[in-house]
Amino acid sequence: MEQIRAVVEIIQRSTDAYMFILDLTSDIYMLPEKAVKRFPFHSTMIENCTETLKKIIYPSDYEMVLADIEKCRLGEQDTHTLEYRWLDRMNRVVWISCRGTVVTGAEGRKLLIGTVSELGKKAKADNITGLRRETRFRLNTESLLRDRPASIRYMMRMGIDNFKEINEKEGIEAGDEVLRELAECILKTVDESVDVYRLMADEFMIVDAGTSERQNPRTVYKQIQGTIASMAKSKEYSRFYTVSAGVLEGDFSGRTVEEIMRYTEFSLNEAKRGGRNQMTIFEQASYEVYLKRLDIRKALRQDINNDFRGFEVYYQPIVSTSDYKLVGAEALLRWQNDKYGKMSPAVFVPILEESGLIIPVGRYVLWEAARTCKRWKQYIPAFHIHVNLSYVQLYRSDLMMDVERCIQEIGIEPESLVLELTESGYIETNEQIKSLFKDLKAKNIDLALDDFGTGYSNMRYLKEIDVKTVKIDRSFVVQALQNDYDFNIISHIIDMVHSLGSAVCMEGIEEKEELSKMMATKPDMIQGYYFGKPSPPEQFEENFLKDVNFP
Ligand code: C2E
Ligand code: MG
Ligand code: MG
């Protein structure tokens, strides 16, 4: 025995694992000094192993471990290979892998000799939360999918909504604490037979393939929310966080781990996109929509990198109501692709925005429109070109620099340019944008407030940002044509806009009767199919610039 111990001590120096000898006959357990430091063993030599392990092994794993050792003792098996949980000196859960072999010595004495290694050290378990990690989730899920896919009821991927913020504002330790707390909340809520893993960063995976009573994932999610809330309360609201979750249910046979990872990630992101603090159940149809959007984005990017292949700028006439003469045009982006054909800007502009691609495309439109405007000023010296801007361009690019460069390179007067912005909540709140508006004003570049009447319709903006023109959206006009109430509202709004010193451009007039009726509200300009649809520059020039008078 002493000889074996000496050998073990030597080998111990060259490994991270804890080597152990368990005398199955006398129940004596020997382990190295460093195991005693980390786990609450009282010495390196333990007389009644079975009793002592009761304090070390995580309670619900104890019976299983003991049963396995018993089989070794009875000679029913000669190896012991198990993954289970120990509790360290801080009473934190540590996943370990225990592997041993039964050796029969002199006098028939049976020894189990082997190693205990911490899974956390191999990134299979996490010493912050005491949960197993993604590697282990993948391995276990692979065997679940292979052996008993029908037993899987749901998988729930859960993420902390403001984890980055907690880490940044309160430090990594606070982040770790939240992770530990959430792990605790989840474990408290789910049944013993449900597996919980920690994936990367702030994400957890809950796998119900258990034998206990079936629980509805939504109920489980709500309960976890409840536990988090009461935990926050018990800690006197010193820290607050919420969680979102994505759930995959249904038939798991034929699924792969990769699919599960992708689908649950998608649903979790959906929950976050939907405003966080909520749970989303995976739906194939919305996933397909998402994939299509990704594919459209890819096609857009390829075309942009191919010198804006398939992109074009169309122009729609803007007519003055005093004499029905052309005063300008709005530049409207068009895109045509081999795979997707012609697509409405209402569909592809938002995709350009969310990917940031609107920045290069916005530049392309600005340069095209400025060039065209310069040409058309030969016909109408006071011609104005309207260019739509996205809030992404305001926030994420140096718009002022682009506009100045464009004006300079093309050589047009800044007064010819009108930048159209959709009204929304961001305008008045952001200081940086307010100062951008001042700079534009100082450079004599006019602003138009687009889609008026569809969103916030806050008159205050008009004062704040000093717009030259307010564009009333077609949907608003359609309503006014249908009922007197809306008609009166539009009339009043137009009066108010006028009294604030801005002009009104009414969009979407399609018929002569519509024009006659809406003229009573006294708009200053009209843009609508009645005067002309958006068309390519050559056609616009042919139809509207070469000696044409409108009806
Ligand atoms: P918007 O800026 O409000 O442009 C007016 C839209 O109303 C255009 O749609 C135009 O074709 C349509 N329209 C004009 N008159 C009538 C009419 O009489 N009847 C009907 N039914 N529709 C009319 P379009 O070209 O499909 O553009 C849709 C939106 O896409 C634009 O709305 C704008 O928000 C956005 N967009 C277009 N080009 C650009 C661009 O270069 N940059 C950015 N950021 N957005 C753009
Ligand atoms: Mg517009
Ligand atoms: Mg509009």
Side-chain angles (χ1 to χ4, degrees), residues 129 131 154 156-160 178-192 194-198 202-207 215 220-221 223-225 227-228 231 241 243-245:
T129 59
L131 297 174
Y154 70 83
M156 183 188 297
R157 188 154 170 174
M158 182 168 277
I160 301 170
V178 169
L179 288 172
R180 209 156 23 238
E181 222 177 88
L182 177 56
E184 211 181 308
C185 290
I186 297 174
L187 291 175
K188 255 191 198 168
T189 311
V190 299
D191 197 88
E192 280 275 329
V194 171
D195 281 315
V196 183
Y197 302 87
R198 180 179 166 215
D202 62 304
E203 290 182 7
F204 293 79
M205 187 72 94
I206 303 170
V207 179
Q215 274 179 303
V220 172
Y221 174 72
Q223 282 170 353
I224 293 173
Q225 275 185 319
T227 319
I228 294 171
M231 185 96 83
Y241 66 92
V243 293
S244 295

Side-chain angles (χ1 to χ4, degrees), residues 312-314 316 330-334 343-350 352-353 358 361-362 365-366 387-391 393 420 422 450-451 471 473-474 478 506-511 514 527-534:
E312 263 180 295
V313 179
Y314 276 30
Q316 187 178 24
E330 177 171 10
L332 292 159
L333 184 60
R334 295 291 178 263
M343 190 179 282
S344 158
V347 177
F348 73 77
V349 167
L352 290 173
E353 288 180 333
I358 194 71
V361 175
V365 175
L366 187 61
V387 178
N388 290 288
L389 280 189
S390 155
Y391 64 95
Q393 289 167 275
E420 292 197 3
T422 299
D450 205 354
D451 299 341
K471 298 188 81 179
D473 191 68
R474 169 170 161 79
V478 169
M506 189 169 276
E507 288 188 296
I509 300 287
E510 293 184 349
E511 307 290 339
E514 294 176 2
Q527 177 185 342
Y529 289 178
Y530 178 65
F531 291 108
K533 288 192 174 180

Side-chain angles (χ1 to χ4, degrees), residues 259 262-263 265-266 270 273 282-299 339-340 351 354:
E259 269 172 6
R262 267 205 310 276
Y263 294 173
E265 182 185 17
F266 167 73
E270 286 254 292
R273 274 193 292 272
F282 177 81
E283 272 173 34
Q284 193 66 38
S286 27
Y287 188 62
E288 304 289 337
V289 170
Y290 162 79
L291 286 186
K292 186 168 169 204
R293 260 179 109 83
L294 278 190
D295 197 57
I296 295 173
R297 180 194 290 197
K298 198 172 125 202
K339 181 165 176 190
Y340 288 105
I351 300 176
E354 69 194 18

Side-chain angles (χ1 to χ4, degrees), residues 57-69:
I57 297 175
Y58 190 74
S60 53
D61 293 346
Y62 182 70
E63 291 300 328
M64 168 189 77
V65 178
L66 229 59
D68 203 74
I69 294 175

Side-chain angles (χ1 to χ4, degrees), residues 467-481:
V467 294
K468 176 133 186 254
T469 313
V470 170
K471 298 188 81 179
I472 306 229
D473 191 68
R474 169 170 161 79
S475 56
F476 209 13
V477 176
V478 169
Q479 279 174 1
L481 287 164

Side-chain angles (χ1 to χ4, degrees), residues 2-56:
E2 272 313 308
Q3 269 175 334
I4 295 176
R5 232 193 128 163
V7 173
V8 164
E9 274 301 333
I10 293 166
I11 301 174
Q12 180 66 64
R13 286 180 215 145
S14 56
T15 169
D16 267 349
Y18 312 110
M19 301 202 65
F20 70 87
I21 306 169
L22 170 59
D23 187 330
L24 292 166
T25 319
S26 65
D27 205 26
I28 291 176
Y29 192 44
M30 280 172 278
L31 359 82
E33 193 61 45
K34 65 175 181 184
V36 177
K37 279 197 182 129
R38 176 133 169 69
F39 300 95
F41 294 104
H42 53 79
S43 120
T44 55
M45 171 86 91
I46 285 134
E47 305 255 317
N48 48 351
C49 169
T50 335
E51 249 333 278
T52 307
L53 282 181
K54 215 175 200 164
K55 280 192 300 197
I56 311 280

